[in-house]
Structure formats: structure tokens, C-alpha cells
Amino acid sequence: QVQLVESGGGLVQAGSSLRLSCAASGRTFKSYFMGWFRQAPGKEREFVARIYWDTGSTYYADSAKGRFTVSRDNAKNTVYLQMNSLKPEDTAVYYCTADRSEQFTGAYWGQGTQVTVSS
């Protein structure tokens, strides 16, 4: 079955960087959109960034533009989220997801990885 396994979360200070990884398995992700959502305590899950597996085309939420970079390694079947200049408001559980639809509501989900940014 499809598995998305996130790693790389942790506790960092404001202004620091983290790189999240999402190892995907169980099927080919050709023609899939893959990316990241996040959910902060007491808030709804929100879109962060996505990448189209075939072309590498990317799309970002306004909150992520200029600070976060989503990328993928086809050979490793892995998607990354490089997060720079982290802010306390970036604190959330980050989820990897995959979807064939550009609507990107999430057909498959990982278990999430916690990112905590202290001020």
C-alpha cells in the first residue's frame, strides 16, 4: 500500500532552518502532485507547498513564498521541504501528501512531523 513517511521535524529557534523529508513508497508517483500541509494547535490544516512529480513545477502558499522550497528526488522517491527563516507562527505538525488532482486535497497522507519554532 502507499506509504508517506515524514522526517526532519524538531525544535529550533526563530530564524533557523529545517529540512523535512517525505519518503514515498507503494506505487509510482508519476503524474502526481506531492507536497505539504501543516496544522497548528487549534487551527485548521492548511496548504504549504506542492510539486508536480513529472515536471518539478512548484506552487506555494503566500506564507511559504520566499522562505520555503519544495523539491523532489525522483531516484529516491522523496519529497523535501526546505524551510528557512523560520518564525514561531510556523509551529505546526507538517504532513506530506500526494494527489493526482491539481485541487490537491490529499489522496494519501503521512503521519506528520512536529516542527516547533521558539522565539
Side-chain angles (χ1 to χ4, degrees):
Q1 72 273 18
V2 172
Q3 278 195 311
L4 304 176
V5 180
E6 302 99 332
S7 61
L11 171 62
V12 296
Q13 291 188 330
S16 299
S17 299
L18 275 177
R19 188 177 81 157
L20 306 183
S21 300
C22 172
S25 62
R27 65 162 298 128
T28 176
F29 290 92
K30 178 177 167 56
S31 301
Y32 269 72
F33 294 89
M34 298 191 70
W36 300 87
F37 282 70
R38 68 185 183 186
Q39 188 166 20
K43 295 188 177 182
E44 292 187 355
R45 192 172 295 188
E46 64 174 5
F47 166 76
V48 177
R50 72 164 192 245
I51 186 166
Y52 187 54
W53 194 263
D54 294 13
T55 64
S57 175
T58 58
Y59 182 74
Y60 296 91
D62 287 345
S63 59
K65 288 178 183 176
R67 298 189 301 127
F68 293 3
T69 303
V70 60
S71 62
R72 91 276 194 236
D73 185 326
N74 289 18
K76 294 182 179 180
N77 237 28
T78 299
V79 177
Y80 303 98
L81 184 68
Q82 176 68 44
M83 304 186 293
N84 299 327
S85 302
L86 283 162
K87 305 174 182 179
E89 50 264 44
D90 294 318
T91 295
V93 177
Y94 284 70
Y95 296 92
C96 178
T97 188
D99 199 320
R100 290 186 68 95
S101 169
E102 194 170 3
Q103 299 302 315
F104 202 58
T105 54
Y108 303 105
W109 293 88
Q111 82 288 352
T113 185
Q114 176 71 47
V115 172
T116 303
V117 184
S118 63
S119 57

